Amino acid sequence: MALPTSVRIREVGPRDGIQSEKAEVSTADKVKLIDALSDTGLRLIEAVSFVSPKAIPNMADSRQVWEAITKREGIVYSALVPNRKGAEIAAEVGVDSMQVFIAASDGYNLRNVKKTVEESIADVAEVAEVARSSAIPLEGTISTAFGCPYDGDIAPERVVEVTRWMSELGIRTISYGDTTGMGTPRRVREVIEALRSDTPEVELNMHFHDTRGTGLANVLTALELGVDYFDASIGGMGGSPYADGATGNIATEDLVHMLEDMGISTGVDLGALLEAARVAQSFIRGPLPSKVLKAGPRNH
Ligand code: MG
């Protein structure tokens, strides 16, 4: 199969990246980062998350961040929400899009939200109801789709099952998270092929982590299977909150650098992206894991 000629990239650093930071990040720094990202050509930015401030202290100021950022025409600024309460706040502040999350594995879901995956589907349904009644687009996120640190390997059939539950609620774009970097090209291929055959109505987004060095290899595998929608985090932010500098999400600049050289259009300016990465580096403790930030682009 020919590779896609262009891809969409959703920037998740301001939410997924900062959420995992051990150090407290100020509201002003978050706003500065999102504004810098808005200058790069990125069209999708996951900006905030309306979750319990007790669970995720670094997202407690999401309302203030939302109000302070400069919202550019043509950019979709989205919020991650776990339940009805979060969705109602997102609707009230007027986000452009919402994502609701669930895990593929009970082990992870129980630790994350103290419910089994099946129990969490009731929350997903309530979020879907709020999104529908407020006419806000809703996408889904399924974490631990390529392996779970507690339950081990996740069968592709299980990922299909959880996808079906979401699809039945009208959620037709779903992101598959390699939450702790257990994905390899083989597992990525197995999951995507299962989804394509059993839930063809669902548009796929891949959310890869580079924890074990397979991040961009997994991207290439997904591209070969026709996937053209990816999450990435500026600087590669989003590592384990328990280890400084641990590699998290694939870095947006590493992804753009590779794709553009392959002739796959991203619409993103690499120089501006590196500027945004330097903004992130200014408030993150320890060096960001991004490779291109460290080495510079291949031709510079
Ligand atoms: Mg992530």
Side-chain angles (χ1 to χ4, degrees):
M1 189 185 212
L3 300 181
T5 53
S6 67
V7 303
R8 281 170 301 151
I9 297 174
R10 177 170 53 199
E11 170 59 47
V12 300
R15 200 285 305 169
D16 196 6
I18 289 177
Q19 173 174 318
S20 311
E21 277 305 312
K22 190 158 66 176
E24 206 181 299
V25 180
S26 74
T27 305
D29 280 340
K30 292 174 190 172
V31 171
K32 206 171 145 195
L33 177 63
I34 295 171
D35 286 349
L37 290 164
S38 295
D39 271 339
T40 62
L42 283 161
R43 286 287 168 263
L44 305 160
I45 300 177
E46 187 183 78
V48 291
S49 171
F50 297 110
V51 291
S52 152
K54 256 180 270 154
I56 316 278
N58 250 340
M59 290 291 121
D61 60 350
S62 280
R63 240 179 221 268
Q64 292 93 303
V65 171
W66 181 263
E67 274 152 26
I69 56 174
T70 303
K71 294 170 199 81
R72 293 283 179 82
E73 196 65 40
I75 300 180
V76 173
Y77 297 93
S78 63
L80 190 81
V81 299
N83 50 32
R84 175 187 290 277
K85 192 174 169 206
E88 283 173 348
I89 299 170
E92 187 192 317
V93 305
V95 301
D96 299 324
S97 179
M98 300 186 202
Q99 291 126 242
V100 64
F101 61 91
I102 198 166
S105 59
D106 283 326
Y108 193 84
N109 211 70
L110 282 163
R111 278 168 181 85
N112 205 16
V113 293
K114 299 185 179 67
K115 292 177 185 184
T116 64
V117 176
E118 211 157 357
E119 286 163 357
S120 275
I121 279 293
D123 289 318
V124 176
E126 291 189 1
V127 170
E129 203 181 292
V130 174
R132 206 174 306 116
S133 66
S134 47
I136 296 172
L138 175 65
E139 298 187 7
T141 285
I142 299 178
S143 55
T144 63
F146 307 95
C148 170
Y150 312 111
D151 295 359
D153 290 337
I154 303 297
E157 295 71 35
R158 169 63 173 178
V159 182
V160 165
E161 182 181 34
V162 179
T163 297
R164 229 177 237 134
W165 292 342
M166 274 194 162
S167 174
E168 279 162 7
L169 294 169
I171 301 171
R172 292 298 158 83
T173 301
I174 299 178
S175 177
Y176 294 85
D178 186 15
T179 315
T180 59
M182 291 172 70
T184 64
R186 167 203 157 183
R187 292 179 191 282
V188 167
R189 179 172 292 274
E190 286 172 355
V191 168
I192 292 174
E193 283 176 347
L195 291 168
R196 280 276 161 69
S197 99
D198 297 348
T199 52
E201 75 280 12
V202 173
E203 182 194 32
L204 312 181
N205 164 296
M206 294 292 139
H207 178 111
F208 292 131
H209 281 228
D210 200 34
T211 319
R212 295 180 174 82
T214 54
L216 290 183
N218 290 339
V219 168
L220 183 59
T221 302
L223 287 170
E224 285 170 353
L225 295 165
V227 173
D228 62 357
Y229 185 17
F230 294 92
D231 281 359
S233 170
I234 191 76
M237 275 195 298
S240 163
Y242 308 107
D244 280 335
T247 310
N249 296 280
I250 56 168
T252 314
E253 56 272 36
D254 292 353
L255 177 64
V256 167
H257 179 262
M258 180 181 90
L259 293 175
E260 290 289 339
D261 189 59
M262 294 168 74
I264 299 171
S265 161
T266 63
V268 182
D269 180 83
L270 185 58
L273 211 48
L274 288 168
E275 278 305 311
R278 283 187 272 273
V279 171
Q281 184 64 87
S282 72
F283 59 75
I284 295 297
R285 269 203 296 162
L288 284 167
S290 157
K291 311 287 194 299
V292 176
L293 180 61
K294 232 170 280 160
R298 52 190 295 283
N299 276 324
H300 70 289

